[in-house]
Amino acid sequence: MDDLLHVRSLVNSREGTVKPAIYTDPDIYRLELERIFARSWLFLAHESMIPKAGDFFTTYMGEDAILVVRQKDGSVDAYLNQCRHRGMRVCHADGGNTRAFTCPYHGWSYGLDGALNSVPLEKEAYRDQLDKSKWGLTRVTRVATYKGLIFGNWDATAPDLEDYMGDMKWYLDGFLDRRAGGTEVLGGVHKWTIDCNWKFAAEQFCSDQYHAPYTHASAIQVLQPTTANKADGSPLGEGQTAKPVWADALGGVQFSGNGHGSAFFFTGKPDANVWVGGQVSAYFREHYPEAVERLGEVRAKRLAGHNTMFPTLSWLNGTQTLRVWHPRGPDKIEVWAFCLGDKEMPDDVKDALVKSHARSFGPAGFLEQDDSENWVEVQKVLKGHIARKTDFCMQMGRGFEERRTDGIPGLTNYTFAETAARGFYQHWADMMSAENWGEIEALAKASEKELTNV
Amino acid sequence: MSDLATLDKAPLTNEKLEKLAAEIYRVPLELQREIEQFLYFEASLLDDWRFRDWLELFAEDVSYVLMTNTQSQTRDRRRGVHPPLTYIFNEDKYQLERRVARLETGMAWAEEPPSRTRHLVANLRVLSYDGEVVETASNYHIHRASKQTDIYSFVGTRRDKLRRVGSTWQIFERKMELDQFVLVAPNICILF
Ligand code: FES
Ligand SMILES: [Fe+2]
């Protein structure tokens, strides 16, 4: 163990406290880029976004600019979007299709496989002495795909993607695997900036069911189907729930494991939440039997709830938003939000879903607006010297962790809990203070034992 | 003086310019002024928090759309290849009304306390008028001051279609673009 910045003293997952310096300290942030973002499996793109050879999508791993490229043999590779000559960004488009990536600075040109294929004036300027085979684009060490989602990892010794996901796979499958054929990204990518630390967003989607009734009070109030809201009292769309999911829920569950987290309520029917377009929720009902067959009843019914796969991939069931919180310094993120639908959805449902997604969780979404505002204001308050030293309370449901016997995997608690937050920050501290993946895994084991006693 | 004389005599042989001229002057000045005043008024209703009045200026069948923007190389654009766009707004009248209702709850935290906005409408062109419907193009600049020191700026273009209703107009189609590739704001919680 090598706790360079003493981060273990800032996170006390047993007591349920964190010191807010973890959201502001530039040194901690620099270490995060190295120890979290250069060692974790990070979401790069969905396969459906780059179907043909030469299709590419530009994204980020932490702050590193990345090119994700469909190869001629159908596989996917990813490269640092940085020219090996003087470091210029090689590709400036958000996406497209190409045969080569040519650097705008001096014209070095790379193939789809990252190889440096041509250099201007190679004979005259380099006297034919440049060993081009040594100067290809820097390849992301590992690229792996899980049910359509493409991930990258810089660390050759990290566990395989599916081991890294652990029990989170069960929850993710409920999102990706409702129908044969899997999912695809619908429409374009929403991108926007929020002046807050990446952990606020990631942790909220990991663990914070608790904020929903209050933070989103305005949306809940005006989207409810009442005669005050709509003269005939009919809901925004046919087939939606009359109340927010928690109002009629038959209990709920929160999950924590490997730093990942998820929570949802048990519902009587496969009801999407009030902010899902009517056509979309009708679709979910119609295909419920297929989902039951594939996933079982609990996950088939689950059409609400939040999730984070550590560190920065989050999604919401039902509203179908999947997003990455790209870090941009200790006090800034870029949100990239994708709308995920089943491939088998009829086109008119896909269209309705894209619109419903934007209206709920796009940057102008009825729900999205409130979340970002909280994080921005917390970050501002943390400019204060005393504020940065003042403990945050993360004790909800402490000591009530359990392991269920009904097939819902992992360490769990009631849905309103901070078990997943405690797990998230403990995993963060473990990764930040471990020199390699062997140590991370040893620390994680010890932490889980200490955290839970179950 | 001699310049003027020369100008007078100059033959009008610039056909390309003549063609463009047809694109410039399309409707009577009076109509241009009427539409301009209508859009200025609409902007003032938003800036003065008269949201319910603002809704009145939109037809029951209104389509109100704001799209994202993406970047692609010129050679890709020539081939018609560019990354897909998506909606920021795609509202009908009822959804616009719900957005107003949301602001009225006093619990729409991104707008509590409410921000101040100035909706600037510029470069207005009235593109056509068929006796009932007017088509316009204009640019907008929305300045938003929020919380203590947050200043946001949204610039883009919009195409409105207005329908003659009694002595005034109603907007039944608003199509907007926003000139930001990564939106530099934590959210959009105001009306455009
Ligand atoms: S920096 Fe790319 S060719 Fe020189
Ligand atoms: Fe939220």
Side-chain angles (χ1 to χ4, degrees):
Chain A
M1 199 164 72
D2 179 16
D3 190 2
L4 296 167
L5 300 176
H6 311 290
V7 298
R8 298 187 81 85
S9 68
L10 304 174
V11 171
N12 187 339
S13 52
R14 198 169 173 82
E15 292 298 318
T17 59
V18 298
K19 293 258 186 267
I22 66 170
Y23 305 111
T24 59
D25 187 325
D27 292 332
I28 289 182
Y29 178 71
R30 268 191 294 275
L31 195 64
E32 284 178 334
L33 292 183
E34 179 190 334
R35 290 197 163 174
I36 307 279
F37 290 94
R39 303 200 293 195
S40 296
W41 283 100
L42 302 174
F43 174 75
L44 301 177
H46 190 289
E47 292 216 68
S48 64
M49 300 168 73
I50 46 170
K52 299 190 302 290
D55 284 351
F56 67 90
F57 178 67
T58 52
T59 184
Y60 290 88
M61 292 172 74
E63 295 223 46
D64 284 314
I66 301 292
L67 259 170
V68 191
V69 189
R70 179 71 71 175
Q71 303 296 305
K72 287 178 188 144
D73 66 0
S75 64
V76 175
D77 256 327
Y79 309 94
L80 203 58
N81 189 2
Q82 178 193 40
C83 181
R84 295 298 302 281
H85 177 231
R86 280 297 183 285
M88 174 63 169
R89 189 186 301 269
V90 178
C91 176
H92 291 251
D94 295 335
N97 179 279
T98 191
R99 271 179 306 214
F101 296 101
T102 304
C103 176
Y105 199 166
H106 310 90
W108 282 27
S109 186
Y110 304 87
L112 296 180
D113 60 355
L116 178 59
N117 286 339
S118 80
V119 168
L121 302 175
E122 187 175 0
K123 189 156 173 268
E124 299 83 340
Y126 287 95
R127 321 275 172 143
D128 271 332
Q129 301 278 302
L130 181 72
D131 182 354
K132 295 209 295 293
S133 71
K134 291 214 169 86
W135 296 99
L137 292 175
T138 307
R139 191 168 173 276
V140 175
T141 318
R142 294 160 77 188
V143 173
T145 299
Y146 185 78
K147 299 193 176 179
L149 306 187
I150 305 162
F151 292 87
N153 194 324
W154 287 109
D155 192 331
T157 69
D160 288 343
L161 175 60
E162 294 194 29
D163 293 331
Y164 175 93
M165 292 163 88
D167 288 328
M168 195 64 202
K169 235 172 28 172
W170 187 88
Y171 298 86
L172 182 55
D173 285 350
F175 187 65
L176 295 178
D177 219 359
R178 297 186 70 85
R179 296 198 63 190
T183 58
E184 65 182 34
V185 167
L186 304 176
V189 187
H190 282 291
K191 301 179 182 179
W192 72 99
T193 59
I194 305 178
D195 289 342
C196 73
N197 186 271
W198 64 272
K199 293 188 286 303
F200 286 126
E203 178 232 306
Q204 185 191 283
F205 276 68
C206 181
S207 181
D208 192 349
Q209 188 77 265
Y210 187 54
H211 81 286
Y214 203 75
T215 284
H216 300 302
S218 64
I220 292 160
Q221 191 172 314
V222 304
L223 295 181
Q224 264 180 38
T226 65
T227 45
N229 286 345
K230 205 175 181 185
D232 61 0
S234 69
L236 268 174
E238 289 311 311
Q240 293 174 201
T241 52
K243 293 182 196 147
V245 62
W246 49 85
D248 291 326
L250 319 160
V253 66
Q254 180 172 102
F255 152 80
S256 169
N258 297 10
H260 319 308
S262 173
F264 62 102
F265 293 91
F266 300 120
T267 50
K269 286 185 265 174
D271 285 327
N273 243 315
V274 284
W275 35 78
V276 174
Q279 220 179 331
V280 180
S281 57
Y283 165 86
F284 283 136
R285 278 165 194 261
E286 195 183 321
H287 294 282
Y288 172 66
E290 184 180 343
V292 175
E293 214 166 282
R294 302 176 67 82
L295 301 163
E297 223 180 281
V298 169
R299 285 186 296 172
K301 273 186 190 149
R302 185 189 172 193
L303 287 165
H306 55 79
N307 314 262
T308 290
M309 175 173 153
F310 192 90
T312 41
L313 177 66
S314 299
W315 65 95
L316 300 174
N317 305 55
T319 48
Q320 300 302 110
T321 188
L322 176 101
R323 65 263 311 277
V324 182
W325 320 101
H326 292 301
R328 291 289 178 271
D331 52 6
K332 199 184 200 61
I333 58 174
E334 249 174 55
V335 188
W336 288 25
F338 308 78
C339 173
L340 246 71
D342 298 328
K343 256 193 201 121
E344 294 293 309
M345 274 178 172
D347 285 345
D348 58 329
V349 176
K350 284 181 182 171
D351 185 54
L353 177 55
V354 169
K355 291 175 172 163
S356 164
H357 172 263
R359 210 175 292 131
S360 55
F361 283 101
F366 273 84
L367 284 294
E368 187 68 52
Q369 300 171 34
D370 307 309
D371 287 319
S372 47
E373 201 69 13
N374 288 334
W375 307 329
V376 169
E377 290 303 313
V378 177
Q379 195 73 39
K380 283 186 201 161
V381 170
L382 292 183
K383 289 218 156 87
H385 170 69
I386 302 297
R388 283 182 199 187
K389 297 199 300 184
T390 303
D391 278 345
F392 283 2
C393 172
M394 216 162 283
Q395 302 182 331
M396 197 186 302
R398 195 166 50 123
F400 291 87
E401 282 80 10
E402 60 174 346
R403 289 191 191 276
R404 302 175 66 98
T405 53
D406 58 1
I408 298 177
L411 183 70
T412 60
N413 204 328
Y414 180 50
T415 189
F416 289 118
E418 283 165 351
T419 298
R422 293 188 287 274
F424 177 90
Y425 288 108
Q426 186 57 52
H427 190 73
W428 176 85
D430 289 346
M431 280 196 87
M432 289 287 280
S433 54
E435 278 174 272
N436 53 55
W437 261 103
E439 276 187 23
I440 295 170
E441 288 185 307
L443 284 170
K445 245 193 199 121
S447 301
E448 190 175 322
K449 230 188 211 147
E450 202 193 326
L451 252 175
T452 63
N453 298 321
V454 295
Chain B
M1 266 176 38
S2 59
D3 283 359
L4 264 180
T6 343
L7 263 182
D8 261 351
K9 273 181 244 153
L12 285 168
T13 53
N14 193 334
E15 275 173 40
K16 281 183 188 164
L17 182 61
E18 279 307 300
K19 242 178 153 173
L20 290 174
E23 274 192 61
I24 304 173
Y25 312 107
R26 301 197 201 199
V27 300
L29 213 57
E30 202 43 40
L31 180 64
Q32 167 88 22
R33 211 186 98 79
E34 198 182 325
I35 298 300
E36 184 182 286
Q37 286 306 309
F38 177 88
L39 292 176
Y40 290 172
F41 179 65
E42 185 228 317
S44 78
L45 293 181
L46 287 175
D47 296 342
D48 295 341
W49 299 333
R50 290 171 61 187
F51 301 119
R52 292 278 160 195
D53 288 340
W54 178 76
L55 284 171
E56 291 300 321
L57 302 189
F58 289 84
E60 286 307 309
D61 60 345
V62 68
S63 156
Y64 177 98
V65 171
L66 171 63
M67 299 303 286
T68 58
N69 229 316
T70 54
Q71 288 184 313
S72 56
Q73 305 288 2
T74 303
R75 60 158 201 273
D76 279 344
R77 288 197 185 269
R78 283 197 188 118
R79 292 188 293 150
V81 177
H82 64 83
L85 307 177
T86 194
Y87 301 96
I88 295 176
F89 285 121
N90 61 86
E91 314 301 302
D92 60 19
K93 181 78 181 265
Y94 180 63
Q95 285 142 358
L96 284 178
E97 190 276 331
R98 286 292 88 189
R99 286 184 183 272
V100 168
R102 193 181 111 83
L103 295 172
E104 290 168 344
T105 62
M107 292 185 295
W109 307 123
E111 269 296 295
E112 282 305 322
S115 62
R116 292 312 318 216
T117 62
R118 298 298 155 204
H119 288 69
L120 310 183
V121 183
N123 300 47
L124 171 67
R125 291 178 299 137
V126 180
L127 304 176
S128 73
Y129 179 50
D130 64 4
E132 196 210 348
V133 167
V134 147
E135 248 182 289
T136 72
S138 60
N139 295 337
Y140 65 85
H141 184 166
I142 303 170
H143 181 273
R144 173 173 182 253
S146 167
K147 296 297 188 286
Q148 283 151 6
T149 54
D150 298 346
I151 301 290
Y152 300 104
S153 182
F154 305 101
V155 176
T157 185
R158 71 189 187 188
R159 292 200 170 235
D160 289 335
K161 286 186 186 167
L162 289 70
R163 197 182 281 139
R164 167 73 74 193
V165 179
S167 62
T168 183
W169 302 83
Q170 268 188 327
I171 300 165
F172 67 95
E173 187 179 287
R174 170 161 287 177
K175 279 190 181 158
M176 296 177 281
E177 280 176 40
L178 177 61
D179 295 349
Q180 298 192 18
F181 302 103
V182 175
L183 171 65
V184 189
N187 51 49
I188 291 178
C189 52
I190 53 169
L191 292 155
F192 270 44

